[in-house]
């Protein structure tokens, strides 16, 4: 496969050279750098997609730079040295906003309706201060994973449709089996405040109150009540605080339910564990639940010297064919692709899409404040005190200390 | 240095001087690749970071000169700085003695002339060649408080194991245990030192009626003190700079109980984007390590025994 492609490449290269010779004019070739966090197989897939672009755009050369786990460190170093890649994958928009090219002008030049096929919620996650800083590539919402085998064993029916936290915890209690150290639900012992915000959203609040302070936000009585319910479930022994998301524990048959984005799916599927996905629970009956979105986008370097070429590449990277190409390791962000490929009808994948539709209109605090990295540190510490079984500080006390 | 050694050294010096005279700059051209690398990748960045520490230097945006402002903030206005420093010193204080003891203990075991010693030598060294990422993943399983093998083993002994990575009181201990995993390199250094002790000294001691314990404290230990000094210094520096393990295993948690100084510097630079401040942090640690190493060196004249310093005297006595 690989060899054949390089053969084709050689042939086309010869062809291009011959053509160039005929015209006696070398087309000016522009080279752009494209940084990704992928590695190994998915990096190879991306290279294949880059090759497709280059084959149809002979005037642009694209150098794919795979930063892997060091993505943020290398990107920060590149930005600091004013030598960042022209196009880059992007997730932490608020962190890097100063180095990113606002795309609204570029989008305006396109046909009207360029953004129409995208799930519009996703642009909330690629924009800051009403400036679009990136185009969505993939996303995940957060859902409840459940181990069907443990539900069957306990004779409990699978979760379905809308439900509330009270129902989830009651279900967890029924599925749990303290004698065999099987827990009904896993909380993250040290939750990432970014991912945690939807618990507050579901309780009708956010981290910050109307005045942009923690007071009047995270200390809302409904949030405290929810945190108390969570802590009680752990104290009573049918829920557990895990070091990671809880996926490890679900895979080893020790936990019946946990909440996470789509990242946990490949490993669980590989283990052949029978599992299902359910929507996040809401706090009150009748109010649909919402989820934080974790986004993969691409962005352009504000100081790129080849913005025209970069934009052409970005358009290709967000095209329907590119979205289709990535199915299996990135969830399509275009309605036409998600619906055309029947993902919105798939019993597993549809849950992520339903959560996405339900979560329209919410924007995480990290997109709205300047000092998120410090604020998130403080919030994280307060949450840890509540969820850490060696401490179990009362939510009221922990949050009161945070708000001070 | 014995007279003979001194003579050789002197001769070599003359040869080198001769070479420069005869060949001019040629020898320097040979070391040029290293020299360029050293200036570009070690000395240059070192000096650059010293300059950076005097600036407020965001990743995005222009640097602003603040003089010693970063150092002032660090020492007077950043509680996390002192906390991280204290955690790191605590870790070093527990880890370094244990590490030296474990390395020496293992070296003593494998230096015995027993069958299979070579095999154990490899086995004990093996963890040192495993990448720290793999070590972190393996240990995150071993230390899992609910399902980990360590707590399972403790359970078999009737003990309730702690929540290693979740209990702020135990997490540093867990880091010590995990770090001890890489004891192999130090063990090898002790092993070679043990092997270089002449056997006839032990034979003399045996004839004089010294017990194995007396032999250990009067012969073995004094004769390996130079390696001990080396291991003490490298181990201390390693402990003060520990980063990869906490980055991979605990991310500084629970509740910042393993928020080591290295992680503090790293996060200031790459998470909070305060490059100048992080450079100041790093320089402060550099000075601490310099002082610590200096103190250890200074103390070494009291307890490190160099054979060649007394070798001449002993020979003289024999004659």
């Amino acid at each position: 496969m690989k060899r054949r492609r390089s053969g084709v490449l050689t042939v086309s290269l010869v062809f291009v050279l011959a053509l160039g010779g005929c015209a006696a004019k070398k087309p000016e070739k522009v080279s752009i750098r494209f940084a990704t966090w992928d590695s190994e197989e998915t990096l190879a897939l991306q290279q294949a997609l880059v090759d497709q672009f280059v084959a149809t755009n002979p005037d642009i050369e694209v150098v794919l730079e795979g930063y892997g786990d060091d993505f943020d460190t290398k990107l920060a170093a590149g930005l600091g040295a004013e030598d960042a890649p022209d196009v880059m994958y992007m997730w932490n928009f608020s962190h890097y906003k100063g180095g990113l090219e606002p795309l609204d002008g570029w989008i305006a030049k396109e046909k009207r309706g360029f953004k129409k096929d995208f799930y519009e919620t996703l642009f909330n996650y690629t924009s800051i201060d009403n400036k679009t800083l990136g185009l969505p590539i993939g996303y995940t919402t957060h859902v409840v994973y459940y181990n069907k085998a443990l539900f069957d064993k306990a004779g409990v029916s699978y979760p379905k449709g809308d439900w509330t936290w009270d129902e989830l915890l009651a279900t967890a209690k029924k599925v749990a089996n303290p004698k065999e150290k099987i827990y009904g639900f896993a909380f993250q012992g040290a939750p990432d405040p970014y991912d945690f915000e939807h618990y507050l959203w579901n309780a009708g609040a956010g981290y910050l109150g109307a005045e942009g302070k923690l007071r009047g936000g995270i200390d809302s009585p409904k949030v405290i009540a929810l945190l108390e319910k969570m802590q009680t479930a752990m104290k009573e022994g049918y829920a557990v605080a895990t070091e990671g998301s809880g996926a490890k524990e679900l895979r080893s048959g020790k936990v019946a339910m946990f909440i996470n984005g789509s990242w946990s799916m490949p490993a669980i599927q590989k283990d052949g564990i029978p599992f299902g996905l359910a929507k996040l629970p809401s706090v009150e009956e009748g109010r649909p639940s919402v989820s934080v979105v974790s986004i993969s986008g691409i962005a352009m370097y504000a100081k790129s010297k080849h913005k025209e070429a970069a934009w052409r590449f970005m358009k290709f990277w967000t095209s329907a064919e590119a979205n289709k190409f990535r199915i299996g390791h990135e969830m399509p962000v275009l309605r036409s692709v998600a619906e055309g490929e029947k993902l919105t009808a798939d019993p597993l994948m549809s849950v992520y899409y339903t959560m996405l539709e339900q979560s329209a209109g919410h924007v995480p605090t990290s997109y709205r404040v300047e000092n998120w990295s410090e604020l998130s540190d403080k919030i994280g510490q307060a949450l840890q005190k509540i969820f850490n079984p060696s401490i179990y500080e009362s939510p009221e006390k922990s949050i009161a200390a945070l708000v001070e | 240095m014995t007279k003979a050694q001194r003579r050789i050294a002197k001769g070599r010096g003359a040869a080198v001087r001769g070479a420069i005279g005869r060949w001019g700059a040629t020898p320097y051209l040979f070391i040029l690749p290293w020299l360029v690398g050293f200036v570009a990748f070690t000395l240059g960045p070192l000096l650059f970071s010293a300059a950076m520490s005097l600036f407020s230097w965001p990743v995005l945006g222009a640097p602003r000169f603040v003089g010693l402002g970063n150092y002032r903030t660090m020492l007077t206005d950043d509680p996390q700085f002192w906390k991280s420093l204290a955690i790191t010193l605590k870790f070093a204080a527990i880890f370094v003695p244990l590490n030296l003891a474990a390395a020496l203990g293992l070296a003593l075991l494998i230096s015995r002339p027993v069958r299979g010693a070579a095999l154990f030598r490899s086995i004990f060294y093996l963890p040192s060649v495993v990448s720290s990422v793999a070590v972190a993943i393996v240990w995150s399983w071993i230390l899992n408080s609910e399902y980990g093998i360590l707590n399972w083993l403790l359970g078999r002994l009737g003990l309730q194991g702690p929540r290693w990575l979740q209990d702020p009181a135990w997490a540093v201990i867990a880091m010590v245990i995990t770090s001890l995993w890489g004891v192999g390199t130090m063990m090898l250094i002790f092993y070679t030192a043990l092997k270089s002790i002449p056997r006839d000294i032990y034979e003399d001691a045996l004839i004089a009626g010294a017990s194995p314990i007396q032999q250990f404290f009067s012969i073995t230990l004094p004769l390996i003190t130079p390696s001990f000094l080396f291991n003490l210094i490298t181990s201390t520096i390693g402990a003060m700079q520990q980063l990869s393990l906490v980055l991979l295993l605990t991310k500084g948690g629970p509740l910042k109980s393993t928020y080591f100084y290295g992680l503090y510097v790293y996060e200031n630079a790459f998470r909070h984007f305060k490059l100048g401040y992080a450079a100041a942090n790093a320089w402060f640690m550099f000075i601490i390590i310099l002082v610590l190493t200096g103190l250890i060196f200074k103390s070494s004249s009291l307890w490190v025994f160099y054979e060649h310093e007394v070798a001449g005297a002993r020979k003289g006595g024999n004659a």
Side-chain angles (χ1 to χ4, degrees):
Chain A
M1 178 84 187
K2 222 172 203 169
R3 186 165 300 161
R4 172 127 40 98
R5 178 165 298 130
S6 68
V8 171
L9 254 172
T10 320
V11 170
S12 52
L13 200 66
V14 168
F15 187 65
V16 167
L17 283 176
L19 263 184
C22 290
K25 195 181 122 202
K26 261 196 199 147
E28 210 163 303
K29 216 169 182 179
V30 169
S31 176
I32 58 170
R33 291 162 58 205
F34 173 40
T36 173
W37 50 60
D38 278 86
S39 56
E40 295 171 42
E41 302 111 82
T42 51
L43 183 64
L45 282 170
Q46 289 187 345
Q47 184 62 56
L49 199 55
V50 166
D51 292 344
Q52 274 185 31
F53 173 78
V54 174
T56 48
N57 293 271
D59 56 328
I60 301 177
E61 193 187 358
V62 180
V63 181
L64 180 65
E65 302 182 354
Y67 291 174
D69 287 344
D70 282 336
F71 183 81
D72 285 286
T73 314
K74 286 190 177 155
L75 193 60
L79 286 165
E82 304 206 342
D83 183 34
D86 302 281
V87 182
M88 62 205 109
Y89 264 83
M90 182 52 56
W91 65 285
N92 198 340
F93 283 92
S94 55
H95 204 45
Y96 296 105
K97 63 183 172 200
L100 306 182
E101 167 88 358
L103 300 176
D104 302 278
W106 294 94
I107 292 171
K109 282 189 215 155
E110 296 298 321
K111 279 195 294 257
R112 276 186 58 193
F114 175 79
K115 283 165 80 171
K116 221 175 83 190
D117 199 17
F118 288 90
Y119 286 91
E120 61 278 6
T121 318
L122 297 175
F123 279 102
N124 287 346
Y125 289 82
T126 64
S127 309
I128 290 181
D129 301 336
N130 294 320
K131 272 187 249 161
T132 310
L133 297 177
L135 299 178
I137 296 297
Y139 81 99
T140 179
T141 42
H142 295 234
V143 299
V144 179
Y145 287 71
Y146 59 92
N147 183 330
K148 287 182 174 171
L150 293 182
F151 273 73
D152 293 344
K153 210 167 121 190
V156 178
S157 56
Y158 306 145
K160 203 168 59 206
D162 292 312
W163 58 337
T164 61
W165 268 106
D166 289 332
E167 286 169 305
L168 181 143
L169 292 174
T171 310
K173 201 168 184 172
K174 278 189 249 165
V175 184
N177 185 342
K179 248 186 268 156
E180 294 179 37
K181 274 197 166 190
I182 292 172
Y183 295 94
F185 186 77
F187 289 103
Q188 294 196 28
D192 178 343
Y194 178 88
D195 294 335
F196 195 82
E197 194 163 9
H198 48 219
Y199 295 103
L200 283 75
W201 291 351
N202 281 319
Y207 286 129
L208 304 182
E211 288 163 31
K213 295 261 160 59
L214 287 165
R215 191 181 295 281
I218 191 172
D219 61 346
S220 115
K222 276 187 186 164
V223 174
I224 306 277
L226 178 60
L227 291 170
E228 255 153 22
K229 263 181 212 167
M230 294 171 164
Q231 199 187 51
T232 308
M234 288 189 279
K235 283 183 179 166
E236 288 182 4
Y238 56 90
V240 66
T242 48
E243 281 148 24
S245 65
K248 249 187 342 194
E249 288 79 2
L250 181 130
R251 284 161 61 198
S252 50
K254 294 294 182 188
V255 153
M257 290 184 278
F258 73 96
I259 290 175
N260 203 9
S262 62
W263 310 289
S264 301
M265 284 225 294
I268 297 175
Q269 279 167 333
K270 211 175 125 209
D271 287 0
I273 288 163
F275 76 104
L277 301 177
K279 289 202 259 180
L280 286 190
S282 59
V283 171
E284 284 158 15
E285 217 165 319
R287 188 214 289 253
S289 64
V290 294
S291 161
V292 158
V293 176
S294 302
I295 190 99
S296 322
I298 47 170
M300 193 194 294
Y301 181 36
K303 293 185 178 164
S304 164
K305 291 193 182 75
H306 308 293
K307 288 184 181 169
E308 191 72 46
W311 177 247
R312 263 168 65 193
F313 178 70
M314 286 170 78
K315 276 194 299 182
F316 169 79
W317 208 253
T318 50
S319 64
E321 51 182 317
N323 268 278
K324 270 185 215 163
F325 186 89
R326 283 190 291 264
I327 291 176
H329 61 106
E330 195 79 91
M331 263 185 280
V333 293
L334 301 176
R335 282 176 198 279
S336 61
V337 177
E339 281 157 21
E341 299 294 317
K342 308 265 189 303
L343 294 176
T344 44
D346 179 273
L348 292 177
M349 304 310 276
S350 63
V351 184
Y352 296 103
Y353 283 96
T354 313
M355 282 312 305
L356 182 63
E357 300 271 17
Q358 283 185 197
S359 308
H362 283 84
V363 181
T365 302
S366 72
Y367 285 84
R368 287 180 282 142
V369 295
E370 279 301 320
N371 59 339
W372 173 249
S373 71
E374 277 131 33
L375 186 64
S376 108
D377 256 8
K378 283 190 204 144
I379 296 170
Q381 297 297 303
L383 294 175
Q384 272 192 46
K385 281 185 201 152
I386 298 168
F387 288 109
N388 190 310
S390 303
I391 302 171
Y392 278 155
E393 184 154 81
S394 92
E396 209 177 344
K397 229 175 105 190
S398 179
I399 299 298
L402 169 71
V403 170
E404 271 309 303
Chain B
M1 221 182 254
T2 64
K3 263 184 204 153
Q5 277 172 324
R6 227 173 273 141
R7 233 183 348 261
I8 291 168
K10 219 182 200 171
R12 211 181 279 143
V16 169
R17 272 195 300 280
I20 293 171
R22 216 172 313 150
W23 293 311
T26 313
Y28 292 99
L29 287 176
F30 280 102
I31 60 163
L32 195 63
W34 175 83
L35 211 60
V36 167
F38 175 73
V39 171
F41 298 115
T42 305
L43 189 64
L46 199 73
L47 296 176
F48 191 69
S49 83
M52 266 179 115
S53 75
L54 304 176
F55 285 82
S56 164
W57 198 305
V59 167
L60 301 158
R64 186 168 49 84
F65 185 75
V66 292
L68 293 174
N70 285 330
Y71 294 90
R72 199 176 313 122
T73 310
M74 183 168 100
L75 295 169
T76 61
D77 199 24
D78 186 357
Q80 191 57 49
F81 163 78
W82 292 106
K83 281 186 208 157
S84 288
L85 196 59
I87 293 165
T88 309
L89 289 171
K90 179 178 157 191
F91 170 76
I94 305 173
F95 170 71
V96 173
L98 279 177
N99 195 28
L100 287 168
L104 183 55
L106 290 176
L108 285 168
L109 281 178
I110 56 167
S111 64
R112 300 264 151 158
V114 291
R115 260 157 61 111
L119 179 70
F120 280 105
R121 209 147 59 216
S122 309
I123 292 175
F124 292 159
Y125 187 68
L126 215 53
S128 304
V129 295
V130 177
S131 94
S132 54
V133 178
V135 169
I137 291 171
V138 169
W139 277 95
S140 80
W141 279 100
I142 295 176
L143 294 168
N144 186 302
S145 51
E146 293 282 330
Y147 314 111
I149 192 167
L150 185 59
N151 277 5
W152 179 78
L153 286 171
L154 290 173
R156 308 280 329 235
L157 298 172
L159 298 169
Q160 166 76 45
R163 295 188 181 90
W164 293 103
L165 297 175
Q166 289 179 296
D167 189 334
W170 282 97
V172 173
I173 307 296
M175 290 305 104
V176 170
I177 296 173
T178 312
S179 304
L180 283 174
W181 193 238
V183 76
T185 313
M186 219 159 264
M187 172 197 78
L188 274 194
I189 292 169
F190 275 135
Y191 171 75
T192 47
L194 289 172
K195 280 289 174 194
S196 66
I197 301 174
R199 297 246 50 96
D200 57 340
I201 304 182
Y202 287 105
E203 282 156 17
D204 287 352
L206 207 60
I207 292 165
S211 73
I213 290 173
Q214 281 174 319
Q215 285 179 30
F216 175 75
F217 282 105
S218 307
I219 299 171
T220 314
L221 211 49
L223 285 178
I224 62 164
T225 44
S227 320
F228 208 92
L229 175 67
F230 176 79
N231 278 344
L232 176 63
I233 290 172
T234 50
S235 181
T236 306
I237 294 175
M240 302 298 280
Q241 293 180 335
Q242 179 60 272
L243 169 66
S244 56
L245 200 62
V246 285
L247 202 58
L248 293 163
L249 203 53
T250 64
K251 303 199 170 55
L255 286 169
K256 302 219 161 178
S257 58
T258 60
Y259 202 73
F260 287 174
Y261 199 87
L263 187 60
Y264 167 75
V265 178
Y266 177 86
E267 290 217 327
N268 273 340
F270 293 109
R271 213 172 137 231
H272 304 309
F273 276 5
K274 296 190 279 193
L275 295 183
Y277 191 58
N281 299 154
W283 271 91
F284 195 82
M285 180 46 90
F286 178 70
I287 291 163
I288 290 182
I289 290 177
L290 210 65
V291 169
L292 270 179
T293 313
L295 284 177
I296 296 173
F297 256 119
K298 198 125 182 81
S299 77
S300 71
S301 62
L302 298 174
W303 57 273
V304 176
F305 174 81
Y306 289 105
E307 210 185 342
H308 59 74
E309 282 175 0
V310 292
R314 203 177 66 174
K315 277 204 182 102
N318 282 349

